[in-house]
Amino acid sequence: MHTDDLNTHHGIDQQLMFITGEHGVTLINISNEHATATISMQGAQVLSWKPKKAGHADKEVIWVSEAADFTPGQSVRGGIPVCWPWFGAHKTESEWPSHGFARTTIWQINSTVTLDDGSTRVTFTMEPDDSNAHMWPPHTSVLLQITIGQKLELELVTHNNGNESITISQAFHTYFFVEDVTRVYLHGLDDTDYLDKLDGYARKHQKGVVTVNEEIDRIYLDTATDCVIEDRSLNRNIIIIKCGSHSTVVWNPWKDTAEIMGDLGDSGYLTMLCVETANAADDTVVIEPGKDHHLWVQFDVQGGSHKDE
Ligand code: TA6
């Protein structure tokens, strides 16, 4: 649908507008009493969220690389890519795209609405098309609800309409903006086991907070609890609360891998940290016929230091 038609049917006066972004990709700009945000129709991918909270006014929470490639069909380096219906490499089909196809597919708008508290909710659906139909889990529908308010909420609902169970893995692969990743303390993963991708997925044990001074790529197992990204340089905590996820991925490519990847920018790795709300590794989701699975996450920002470990 053209942006004029989208604005006619789904625009909200003074609050939500569809515009044409770089390379013709449609973007949604939202500005309400609580926050501003940008979402791309490709991947239904949040690219920006700035809560208007006292002490945090207009400070970006979501990181997007200065070298991100917005060419349609390319995954954008940053924001909140939705990995679906698998996380990482596909188990059997090595040619199929890493992290699934949801992040490079154009989603459709189901509805846009202003909630009673002034937040803005956008609901997306994704349909099988020529590019993804052969990879689509049979008889499955998917819906993503994004709520832009003082807090940012995402809910991904996968419904099994068929007669046989389906199995998926998935993630909100969120890139958080931090002032200086070497001064960030990630709370909430103390005393848990993780698979270290950089060491052949060896199982290791986390003691205390997670800090980042080198490349890190880990899947934390059996982790359903809240996480807090304590950013000492910004004097800001990002609180991550989730549901329907029992794994948490923590990733920063650091300098050498960033250089190889090529779309992280010159020193982008120093100002980002991925903390991903996931169903990854053995935490796959089996959805029985007629049932659905909800992957839900909420982000909130607060000031000050964080003490729990
Ligand atoms: O979630 C961590 C991870 O799977 C890393 O292993 C790293 O490769 C990263 O995601 C980025 O993946 P991408 O397919 O976006 O290049």
Side-chain angles (χ1 to χ4, degrees):
M1 221 192 270
H2 192 268
T3 48
D4 289 346
D5 296 325
L6 285 166
N7 279 314
T8 304
H9 291 100
H10 300 293
I12 304 176
D13 200 24
Q14 309 284 322
Q15 195 181 119
L16 184 151
M17 196 178 183
F18 294 84
I19 61 160
T20 304
E22 218 177 301
H23 298 291
V25 174
T26 303
L27 303 177
I28 308 170
N29 278 341
I30 295 168
S31 179
N32 59 35
E33 63 192 272
H34 303 300
T36 61
T38 302
I39 307 171
S40 174
M41 294 283 283
Q42 174 175 296
Q45 186 166 340
V46 175
L47 298 175
S48 166
W49 173 56
K50 295 183 192 173
K52 294 177 179 169
K53 262 188 167 178
H56 302 280
D58 288 331
K59 279 190 191 144
E60 187 53 78
V61 179
I62 305 298
W63 181 90
V64 174
S65 170
E66 60 183 26
D69 183 355
F70 288 92
T71 310
Q74 293 294 316
S75 62
V76 172
R77 181 66 60 204
I80 311 182
V82 175
C83 305
W84 186 94
W86 62 88
F87 177 84
H90 191 275
K91 281 214 165 74
T92 54
E93 307 292 334
S94 57
E95 300 293 298
W96 290 7
S98 162
H99 293 318
F101 52 82
R103 62 180 178 165
T104 50
T105 298
I106 307 293
W107 289 58
Q108 288 86 44
I109 294 286
N110 180 287
S111 65
T112 56
V113 65
T114 307
L115 303 183
D116 288 347
D117 71 353
S119 302
T120 310
R121 177 168 290 166
V122 186
T123 304
F124 295 90
T125 55
M126 181 176 50
E127 305 293 335
D129 63 24
D130 290 350
S131 70
N132 61 35
H134 61 294
M135 301 181 279
W136 194 279
H139 311 293
T140 303
S141 55
V142 61
L143 178 146
L144 175 63
Q145 196 166 274
I146 301 176
T147 307
I148 306 295
Q150 276 214 354
K151 299 174 184 178
L152 171 61
E153 275 181 32
L154 292 92
E155 181 165 20
L156 181 65
V157 184
T158 305
H159 187 80
N160 181 353
N161 311 303
N163 297 320
E164 287 175 20
S165 63
I166 56 159
T167 303
I168 59 166
S169 55
Q170 56 188 350
F172 294 125
H173 192 305
T174 309
Y175 291 75
F176 289 99
F177 174 79
V178 296
E179 181 86 1
D180 172 359
V181 76
T182 64
R183 300 196 66 230
V184 163
Y185 298 79
L186 176 59
H187 303 258
L189 300 170
D190 180 30
D191 214 16
T192 61
D193 282 355
Y194 64 87
L195 303 180
D196 188 348
K197 185 172 173 185
L198 304 175
D199 190 9
Y201 291 98
R203 190 173 178 125
K204 300 181 180 175
H205 192 70
Q206 178 70 40
K207 284 309 286 173
V209 294
V210 180
T211 53
V212 183
N213 291 292
E214 59 185 343
E215 183 172 6
I216 179 171
D217 196 348
R218 301 175 180 172
I219 303 174
Y220 285 87
L221 308 169
D222 296 321
T223 47
T225 49
D226 305 353
C227 279
V228 177
I229 300 172
E230 180 191 353
D231 185 331
R232 293 213 176 152
S233 300
L234 274 183
N235 196 27
R236 175 172 85 175
N237 296 317
I238 302 171
I239 324 294
I240 305 169
I241 303 175
K242 63 176 180 167
C243 223
S245 152
H246 291 90
S247 40
T248 307
V249 179
V250 181
W251 178 60
N252 183 296
W254 213 250
K255 194 173 190 312
D256 291 349
T257 300
E259 265 172 27
I260 295 165
M261 294 177 78
D263 60 356
L264 267 288
D266 284 345
S267 52
Y269 69 97
L270 287 172
T271 57
M272 55 78 64
L273 181 64
C274 282
V275 181
E276 308 168 29
T277 301
N279 297 110
D282 288 342
D283 177 29
T284 50
V285 175
V286 178
I287 309 174
E288 299 300 336
K291 302 286 185 199
D292 46 34
H293 178 267
H294 295 240
L295 178 66
W296 178 87
V297 73
Q298 181 193 74
F299 307 131
D300 187 18
V301 294
Q302 289 172 7
S305 58
H306 184 87
K307 293 182 184 62
D308 66 357
E309 284 160 22

